[in-house]
């Protein structure tokens, strides 16, 4: 009897140990719930639910520039333009840059701003940034010509024929009214690349209907700023840089008159710290910015921005390096000191590859 109880106890012990071992093996080598949970966690960390993210996203009050946004990201794209305006506001508040970011809304600035009363639009002209095309858009909107293709090239810049009034032509009360209520925009570009474009257009190619750049302005710059007096070639980019970076150049600017608008700072042309603009476009992203501006102004159904040739708006660092090759670091630093406000207001990187 005693042996039977011992045998029965031994059987129960073996069965118990087998159950424990079986459970251990199952937990160790086959746990589909744990594996599934791990995979779900990995999935959530790599591909978040976009619909939930868009619902929960909150824009901060002060934004910093983040660069170009892909053109197919329609929900995010407007954030780029908000960031640009926020950056301008922040730089305008920087007292250390006040002399480089602020200017009075003088007649000179008001002369740069073209008016489309019919659609309540103000456009500030910044030469060498594709402004001719924007003027064509406004000419059509003002009704002077039925389409962009029908505008003669010699009429675009003839302000007696193109039907584009300047803001300076209105009374003070009318000026203030338009500045407060109209859609306002202008276009910017990397400051140094813009200067290269101005130099090439006005002094190298020199349109035949603008002879004064080659025959009056160039000799004036050469006489004052050419270091090698035995050099007999026409104006060189080095002469141009030395002139622009000279803090005492203003007496020469007065002699040149309004022709200097092609290389003046965006601050001097459009007063971005004094005038609250609706949109600031960038030449480098004009393919995206032009349609956005037309849509925000409420005119995208009336007119289109002319087709932009491929690659024409892309920043060309190699070209910039080529033009500044051989120019002294001192002259480049003086040039940057003058245009620093433009670089910082509009989020362009400091050209350390030229300065250091």
């Amino acid at each position: 009897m005693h042996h039977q109880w011992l045998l029965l106890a031994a059987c129960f012990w073996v069965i118990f140990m087998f159950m424990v071992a079986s459970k251990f093996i199952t937990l160790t080598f086959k746990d589909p719930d744990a594996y599934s949970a791990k995979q779900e966690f990995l999935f959530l960390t790599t591909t978040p639910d976009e619909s939930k993210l868009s619902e929960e996203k909150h824009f901060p009050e002060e934004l910093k520039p983040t660069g170009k946004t892909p053109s197919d990201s329609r929900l995010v794209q407007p954030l780029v333009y908000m960031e640009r305006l926020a950056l301008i506001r922040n730089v305008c508040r920087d007292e250390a840059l006040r002399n480089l970011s602020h200017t009075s809304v003088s007649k000179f600035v008001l002369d740069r701003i073209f008016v489309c009363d019919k659609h309540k639009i103000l456009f500030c002209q910044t030469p060498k940034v594709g402004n001719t095309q924007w003027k064509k858009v406004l000419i059509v909107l003002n009704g002077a010509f039925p389409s962009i293709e029908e505008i003669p090239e010699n009429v675009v810049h003839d302000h007696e024929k193109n039907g584009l009034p300047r803001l300076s032509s209105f009374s003070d009360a009318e000026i203030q009214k338009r500045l407060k209520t109209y859609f306002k925009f202008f276009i910017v570009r990397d400051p140094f690349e813009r200067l290269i474009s101005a130099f090439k257009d006005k002094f190298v190619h020199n349109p035949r209907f603008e002879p004064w750049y080659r025959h009056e302005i160039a000799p004036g710059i050469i006489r004052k700023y050419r270091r090698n007096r035995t050099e007999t070639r026409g104006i060189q980019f080095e002469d141009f840089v030395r002139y622009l970076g000279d803090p005492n150049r203003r007496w020469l600017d007065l002699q040149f008159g309004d022709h200097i608008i092609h290389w003046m700072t965006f601050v001097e042309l459009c007063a971005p710290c004094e005038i609250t603009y609706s949109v600031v476009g960038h030449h480098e992203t004009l393919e995206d910015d032009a349609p956005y501006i037309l849509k925000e102004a409420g005119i995208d159904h009336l007119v289109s921005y002319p087709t932009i040739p491929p690659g024409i708006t892309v920043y060309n660092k190699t070209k910039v390096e080529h033009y500044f090759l051989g120019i002294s670091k001192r002259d480049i630093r003086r040039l940057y000191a003058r245009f620093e406000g433009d670089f910082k207001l509009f989020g362009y990187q400091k050209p350390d590859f030229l300065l250091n």
Side-chain angles (χ1 to χ4, degrees), residues 7-27:
L7 181 62
L8 187 60
C11 289
F12 276 114
W13 177 253
V14 171
I15 293 171
F16 175 76
M17 291 301 297
F18 178 78
M19 291 175 64
V20 170
S22 176
K23 185 67 174 177
F24 176 78
I25 292 170
T26 302
L27 288 171

Short mmCIF file of all heavy atoms in Angstrom, two decimals, residues 7-27:
data_model
loop_
_atom_site.label_atom_id
_atom_site.label_comp_id
_atom_site.label_asym_id
_atom_site.label_seq_id
_atom_site.Cartn_x
_atom_site.Cartn_y
_atom_site.Cartn_z
N LEU A 7 4.27 5.48 -5.77
CA LEU A 7 4.23 5.44 -7.22
C LEU A 7 3.26 6.51 -7.77
O LEU A 7 3.55 7.19 -8.76
CB LEU A 7 3.79 4.03 -7.68
CG LEU A 7 3.72 3.82 -9.19
CD1 LEU A 7 5.10 4.02 -9.83
CD2 LEU A 7 3.18 2.41 -9.49
N LEU A 8 2.11 6.65 -7.09
CA LEU A 8 1.12 7.65 -7.52
C LEU A 8 1.68 9.07 -7.38
O LEU A 8 1.53 9.92 -8.27
CB LEU A 8 -0.16 7.50 -6.68
CG LEU A 8 -1.36 8.36 -7.11
CD1 LEU A 8 -1.76 8.04 -8.55
CD2 LEU A 8 -2.53 8.14 -6.17
N ALA A 9 2.39 9.32 -6.28
CA ALA A 9 3.00 10.66 -6.06
C ALA A 9 4.04 10.95 -7.12
O ALA A 9 4.18 12.08 -7.64
CB ALA A 9 3.61 10.72 -4.67
N ALA A 10 4.81 9.90 -7.47
CA ALA A 10 5.84 10.09 -8.49
C ALA A 10 5.22 10.44 -9.84
O ALA A 10 5.73 11.28 -10.60
CB ALA A 10 6.70 8.83 -8.60
N CYS A 11 4.07 9.76 -10.16
CA CYS A 11 3.39 10.06 -11.43
C CYS A 11 2.90 11.51 -11.47
O CYS A 11 3.05 12.21 -12.49
CB CYS A 11 2.21 9.09 -11.61
SG CYS A 11 2.74 7.40 -11.97
N PHE A 12 2.28 11.95 -10.38
CA PHE A 12 1.83 13.36 -10.31
C PHE A 12 3.00 14.33 -10.48
O PHE A 12 2.89 15.38 -11.11
CB PHE A 12 1.09 13.61 -9.00
CG PHE A 12 -0.36 13.23 -9.04
CD1 PHE A 12 -0.85 12.17 -8.25
CD2 PHE A 12 -1.25 13.90 -9.87
CE1 PHE A 12 -2.17 11.82 -8.29
CE2 PHE A 12 -2.59 13.55 -9.90
CZ PHE A 12 -3.05 12.51 -9.12
N TRP A 13 4.15 14.03 -9.87
CA TRP A 13 5.33 14.90 -9.96
C TRP A 13 5.84 15.00 -11.41
O TRP A 13 6.17 16.07 -11.89
CB TRP A 13 6.42 14.36 -9.04
CG TRP A 13 7.70 15.14 -9.11
CD1 TRP A 13 8.86 14.75 -9.69
CD2 TRP A 13 7.95 16.44 -8.60
NE1 TRP A 13 9.82 15.70 -9.59
CE2 TRP A 13 9.27 16.78 -8.90
CE3 TRP A 13 7.13 17.34 -7.89
CZ2 TRP A 13 9.83 17.99 -8.53
CZ3 TRP A 13 7.71 18.54 -7.53
CH2 TRP A 13 9.03 18.89 -7.84
N VAL A 14 5.86 13.83 -12.08
CA VAL A 14 6.32 13.82 -13.48
C VAL A 14 5.38 14.66 -14.36
O VAL A 14 5.80 15.45 -15.21
CB VAL A 14 6.41 12.37 -14.00
CG1 VAL A 14 6.66 12.36 -15.50
CG2 VAL A 14 7.52 11.63 -13.28
N ILE A 15 4.04 14.45 -14.14
CA ILE A 15 3.06 15.22 -14.92
C ILE A 15 3.21 16.72 -14.67
O ILE A 15 3.17 17.55 -15.59
CB ILE A 15 1.63 14.75 -14.59
CG1 ILE A 15 1.43 13.31 -15.09
CG2 ILE A 15 0.59 15.67 -15.21
CD1 ILE A 15 0.13 12.67 -14.62
N PHE A 16 3.41 17.11 -13.39
CA PHE A 16 3.57 18.52 -13.03
C PHE A 16 4.80 19.13 -13.71
O PHE A 16 4.77 20.23 -14.27
CB PHE A 16 3.66 18.64 -11.51
CG PHE A 16 3.95 20.03 -11.04
CD1 PHE A 16 2.96 21.00 -11.03
CD2 PHE A 16 5.24 20.39 -10.63
CE1 PHE A 16 3.23 22.28 -10.61
CE2 PHE A 16 5.50 21.67 -10.21
CZ PHE A 16 4.51 22.63 -10.20
N MET A 17 5.94 18.41 -13.65
CA MET A 17 7.17 18.90 -14.25
C MET A 17 7.03 19.03 -15.77
O MET A 17 7.54 19.96 -16.39
CB MET A 17 8.34 17.95 -13.91
CG MET A 17 8.73 17.98 -12.43
SD MET A 17 9.22 19.64 -11.87
CE MET A 17 10.65 19.92 -12.89
N PHE A 18 6.29 18.07 -16.41
CA PHE A 18 6.07 18.14 -17.85
C PHE A 18 5.26 19.38 -18.23
O PHE A 18 5.55 20.06 -19.21
CB PHE A 18 5.36 16.86 -18.31
CG PHE A 18 5.04 16.86 -19.77
CD1 PHE A 18 6.02 16.59 -20.72
CD2 PHE A 18 3.76 17.16 -20.20
CE1 PHE A 18 5.71 16.59 -22.07
CE2 PHE A 18 3.47 17.18 -21.55
CZ PHE A 18 4.44 16.90 -22.49
N MET A 19 4.24 19.73 -17.44
CA MET A 19 3.41 20.91 -17.70
C MET A 19 4.23 22.19 -17.58
O MET A 19 4.10 23.10 -18.40
CB MET A 19 2.23 20.94 -16.73
CG MET A 19 1.20 19.83 -16.97
SD MET A 19 -0.09 19.82 -15.71
CE MET A 19 -0.86 21.41 -16.03
N VAL A 20 5.07 22.23 -16.54
CA VAL A 20 5.92 23.43 -16.36
C VAL A 20 6.88 23.58 -17.53
O VAL A 20 7.07 24.67 -18.09
CB VAL A 20 6.70 23.34 -15.03
CG1 VAL A 20 7.76 24.43 -14.95
CG2 VAL A 20 5.74 23.43 -13.87
N ALA A 21 7.49 22.46 -17.92
CA ALA A 21 8.45 22.51 -19.03
C ALA A 21 7.76 22.92 -20.32
O ALA A 21 8.28 23.71 -21.12
CB ALA A 21 9.13 21.15 -19.20
N SER A 22 6.56 22.38 -20.55
CA SER A 22 5.80 22.72 -21.76
C SER A 22 5.48 24.20 -21.82
O SER A 22 5.59 24.86 -22.86
CB SER A 22 4.52 21.88 -21.80
OG SER A 22 3.74 22.25 -22.91
N LYS A 23 5.07 24.77 -20.70
CA LYS A 23 4.75 26.21 -20.64
C LYS A 23 5.97 27.06 -20.91
O LYS A 23 5.94 28.05 -21.63
CB LYS A 23 4.16 26.53 -19.26
CG LYS A 23 3.68 27.97 -19.12
CD LYS A 23 2.47 28.23 -20.00
CE LYS A 23 1.89 29.62 -19.76
NZ LYS A 23 0.76 29.91 -20.67
N PHE A 24 7.12 26.63 -20.34
CA PHE A 24 8.37 27.38 -20.53
C PHE A 24 8.77 27.39 -22.00
O PHE A 24 9.16 28.41 -22.56
CB PHE A 24 9.46 26.74 -19.68
CG PHE A 24 10.81 27.36 -19.87
CD1 PHE A 24 11.13 28.57 -19.27
CD2 PHE A 24 11.75 26.75 -20.69
CE1 PHE A 24 12.37 29.14 -19.46
CE2 PHE A 24 12.98 27.33 -20.87
CZ PHE A 24 13.30 28.53 -20.27
N ILE A 25 8.66 26.18 -22.63
CA ILE A 25 9.03 26.08 -24.05
C ILE A 25 8.14 26.97 -24.91
O ILE A 25 8.58 27.66 -25.81
CB ILE A 25 8.93 24.61 -24.50
CG1 ILE A 25 10.02 23.78 -23.83
CG2 ILE A 25 9.06 24.50 -26.02
CD1 ILE A 25 9.86 22.28 -24.02
N THR A 26 6.83 27.00 -24.61
CA THR A 26 5.89 27.81 -25.37
C THR A 26 6.20 29.29 -25.26
O THR A 26 6.21 30.03 -26.24
CB THR A 26 4.45 27.55 -24.88
OG1 THR A 26 4.17 26.16 -25.03
CG2 THR A 26 3.45 28.39 -25.67
N LEU A 27 6.49 29.77 -24.04
CA LEU A 27 6.79 31.19 -23.82
C LEU A 27 8.09 31.60 -24.48
O LEU A 27 8.24 32.73 -24.93
CB LEU A 27 6.85 31.49 -22.33
CG LEU A 27 5.51 31.49 -21.59
CD1 LEU A 27 5.74 31.60 -20.09
CD2 LEU A 27 4.60 32.60 -22.09
#
